[in-house]
Amino acid sequence: MTNQEQTPLKTFGDIYPDKTVGELTMFDRIIFKGYLSGLYPVKKQFEYYLGRQGVLMKEYKAYAEKCTEELKAHLEKMGEEAGCPIQYLANGSGKEGATKEEMARAAMEAREGETGLVALYSCLELKNVLTVRGNRQTYQLDAVSETRRHLHYYCYYNDVEFGLMYVRIQSWWPFEIQIYINGHEWLARQMTQQGVGYVQADNCFLSIDDVVAAQTLCEKFAHRQWERVWNNFARRLNPFLPTVEAVVKQGYYWTIEQCEIATDVMFIDQAVLDACLPDLFQEALLTFSATDVMRFLGRKLQQNFQGKVETRLNQRHPGWRIKHWVKQNSLKMYNKQSVLRVETTINNAAEFRIEAPASASARWKPLPKGVGHCWHFFQAGLEANKRYLQAVRDIPVQGKAAVTALDSLCQSHQVNGRTIAKFNPLSSDTCRLFAALLQGELQL
């Protein structure tokens, strides 16, 4: 054999430590939701609230329409003071299909770094509302929850701490609030304040001068007291919140509706990473079974499992992406310039388990959605990403070396003065040889 043929096969783990400048795990996109939980159950609590306001069931429609108009007037005043009147989006997007975020980012850039409210949009969306319907059994009017298309208002802020974010509030009772932030924008502002140098491209960091300090900031983010932060935003938008709190003694209950926990492996050069990608992604598609995917996301494949496990590989511009699903949760790996990102998306927190209190009958319990468990969300994503990266490290990466080795075999060459014929994998003699070698009776 030639020296080239004796070259040991490399795995991704062999390249990993020598060609990277750091690894960082943090929250990427997060969607929070706030519910006026004191109004539920509707039949009891919301009717109690209406009674305390002196509103009869038959008067509810007029009362609700009046509240909707008051909310609109309140938001219009906010928009006028900030110089951004409400824009109605008929199909939920702007001209030429521009998204609300793209429009808001353009508005923010036009203000040249000015903080505060930068854009205000309204559009029709389908959501549950509280209303009154006749009960055919009791012949009375009851408060009920039903799905209906109605206006939602999107308030985009250039926040001092979080950067570009939005707060969405529905225009009808129960005035549910949704908040979106991006963890990478938050980290960029924090590192700027603390003097930590970094190179950022789009929604990732290509390099960070002090990765340890950046990771400490990310863990601090996961321990944040989110109730206080979002309650301040809720009081700005919902003029009825003080009355609700006074009557039912509860304000908004905040949950994590969806979040992405990303682990970024920063390579020294994009060419080094690009050379690994074809082998890395194709082998991940062929190697990782449904059992492996469930293990990555902290589950075990059992006979009573009811759901779907799915994997897809896409070659997209400008790179590759492989995505695995277990029910509503997913785990994906993709490249962004010189960064390889492994990202866990949690849509259904109950699929993950955390340790139960000592007083509980069971040792483990489903992960609750409340923002008080933000750290547990971070841990769940971090552990899933680590398990995936550990498995990826064992994948053989041959790259162009494999093509060169095969090309060498297909060329005649000299060994110890003897001419060795070239290898032709398509010849009929070679095919018959392989067929014979692969026969089971010849394995002994």
Side-chain angles (χ1 to χ4, degrees):
M1 297 179 67
T2 64
N3 291 335
Q4 189 178 36
E5 294 172 313
Q6 295 174 352
T7 302
L9 189 66
K10 279 190 175 184
T11 66
F12 185 65
D14 298 325
I15 302 170
Y16 208 121
D18 299 329
K19 302 298 183 180
T20 59
V21 294
E23 183 178 309
L24 182 71
T25 300
M26 66 173 304
F27 278 105
D28 188 20
R29 297 177 175 88
I30 315 179
I31 294 177
F32 298 89
K33 281 196 175 180
Y35 303 90
L36 288 174
S37 55
L39 301 180
Y40 296 89
V42 178
K43 175 63 181 161
K44 179 181 178 181
Q45 289 298 101
F46 189 51
E47 289 185 3
Y48 169 75
Y49 173 81
L50 294 177
R52 289 292 301 271
Q53 299 304 302
V55 179
L56 300 176
M57 291 292 104
K58 64 180 181 180
E59 301 170 342
Y60 172 74
K61 183 178 179 181
Y63 169 76
E65 290 175 348
K66 178 175 176 291
C67 292
T68 296
E69 290 301 319
E70 288 182 15
L71 175 65
K72 180 181 178 181
H74 175 71
L75 295 176
E76 284 178 340
K77 182 179 179 181
M78 284 177 49
E80 290 173 1
E81 292 176 350
C84 49
I86 299 176
Q87 299 181 48
Y88 174 71
L89 306 178
N91 57 358
S93 59
K95 295 180 180 179
E96 299 180 355
T99 65
K100 290 186 285 291
E101 182 176 346
E102 291 171 345
M103 296 166 61
R105 191 170 293 278
M108 181 182 70
E109 292 173 354
R111 290 172 175 254
E112 299 180 348
E114 180 183 344
T115 59
L117 188 66
V118 295
L120 215 167
Y121 307 115
S122 66
C123 59
L124 288 172
E125 294 183 2
L126 197 64
K127 199 67 183 175
N128 282 351
V129 298
L130 300 183
T131 187
V132 170
R133 287 286 179 262
N135 189 324
R136 294 184 178 181
Q137 295 178 346
T138 63
Y139 300 101
Q140 294 180 349
L141 294 174
D142 292 339
V144 298
S145 176
E146 65 179 25
T147 304
R148 183 190 298 175
R149 283 177 64 85
H150 58 289
L151 277 178
H152 287 69
Y153 296 99
Y154 283 80
C155 304
Y156 277 86
Y157 290 89
N158 179 19
D159 189 72
V160 175
E161 182 179 1
F162 300 107
L164 184 64
M165 58 174 287
Y166 76 71
V167 184
R168 185 193 74 180
I169 184 169
Q170 64 180 144
S171 62
W172 195 273
W173 287 95
F175 302 114
E176 179 186 299
I177 290 179
Q178 177 173 295
I179 297 176
Y180 164 86
I181 61 173
N182 188 303
H184 284 84
E185 290 207 21
W186 176 88
L187 181 59
R189 294 181 178 233
Q190 293 295 310
M191 290 193 295
T192 299
Q193 290 179 7
Q194 298 197 11
V196 178
Y198 60 91
V199 177
Q200 186 177 15
D202 191 18
N203 193 37
C204 65
F205 299 103
L206 304 182
S207 65
I208 299 175
D209 292 349
D210 191 341
V211 179
V212 176
Q215 188 63 66
T216 302
L217 288 170
C218 296
E219 294 175 5
K220 178 183 176 183
F221 180 87
H223 284 289
R224 190 70 188 275
Q225 297 295 323
W226 295 110
E227 297 93 340
R228 298 178 181 177
V229 179
W230 302 143
N231 281 335
N232 288 333
F233 279 92
R235 290 189 179 94
R236 295 183 203 173
L237 269 63
N238 189 347
F240 312 108
L241 182 56
T243 305
V244 173
E245 291 176 330
V247 174
V248 300
K249 310 304 180 186
Q250 293 183 48
Y252 279 98
Y253 175 72
W254 297 99
T255 66
I256 299 175
E257 192 70 15
Q258 182 191 80
C259 69
E260 297 172 343
I261 301 95
T263 297
D264 288 356
V265 182
M266 297 169 279
F267 280 75
I268 58 175
D269 185 73
Q270 183 176 347
V272 175
L273 177 59
D274 288 347
C276 306
L277 295 182
D279 290 335
L280 187 65
F281 282 82
Q282 290 174 3
E283 285 296 320
L285 175 67
L286 297 173
T287 304
F288 296 153
S289 64
T291 304
D292 293 325
V293 173
M294 293 190 69
R295 178 177 61 84
F296 297 147
L297 289 170
R299 295 291 304 273
K300 290 183 179 180
L301 184 58
Q302 299 175 341
Q303 292 183 351
N304 61 353
F305 174 75
Q306 298 292 326
K308 183 169 67 172
V309 181
E310 184 180 357
T311 294
R312 291 182 188 175
L313 175 65
N314 301 102
Q315 186 174 5
R316 56 186 177 81
H317 179 76
W320 298 70
R321 188 195 76 173
I322 185 168
K323 188 171 183 179
H324 315 273
W325 287 269
V326 176
K327 295 185 178 179
Q328 300 99 326
N329 299 322
S330 66
L331 180 62
K332 60 186 174 183
M333 176 174 67
Y334 59 98
N335 64 303
K336 300 187 74 170
Q337 296 192 31
S338 60
V339 172
L340 180 69
R341 175 173 292 176
V342 175
E343 186 173 85
T344 298
T345 302
I346 301 178
N347 292 301
N348 184 3
E351 291 294 317
F352 292 87
R353 297 291 184 269
I354 62 172
E355 193 168 359
S359 58
S361 57
R363 183 180 176 186
W364 302 95
K365 68 174 184 177
L367 172 59
K369 294 173 63 175
V371 292
H373 293 274
C374 186
W375 172 247
H376 291 118
F377 276 80
F378 183 76
Q379 284 186 313
L382 171 64
E383 292 169 2
N385 294 349
K386 282 188 174 181
R387 285 190 287 265
Y388 195 85
L389 278 171
Q390 187 60 44
V392 165
R393 283 179 172 144
D394 296 330
I395 291 180
V397 178
Q398 303 177 63
K400 295 181 180 179
V403 178
T404 304
L406 181 61
D407 184 66
S408 175
L409 287 174
C410 296
Q411 303 291 334
S412 60
H413 52 275
Q414 297 284 331
V415 177
N416 297 328
R418 295 181 57 187
T419 300
I420 305 299
K422 64 182 180 180
F423 172 69
N424 184 358
L426 300 181
S427 71
S428 58
D429 292 338
T430 303
C431 292
R432 286 196 297 271
L433 174 63
F434 274 113
L437 291 173
L438 292 173
Q439 292 181 21
E441 61 268 23
L442 299 179
Q443 288 184 1
L444 293 177

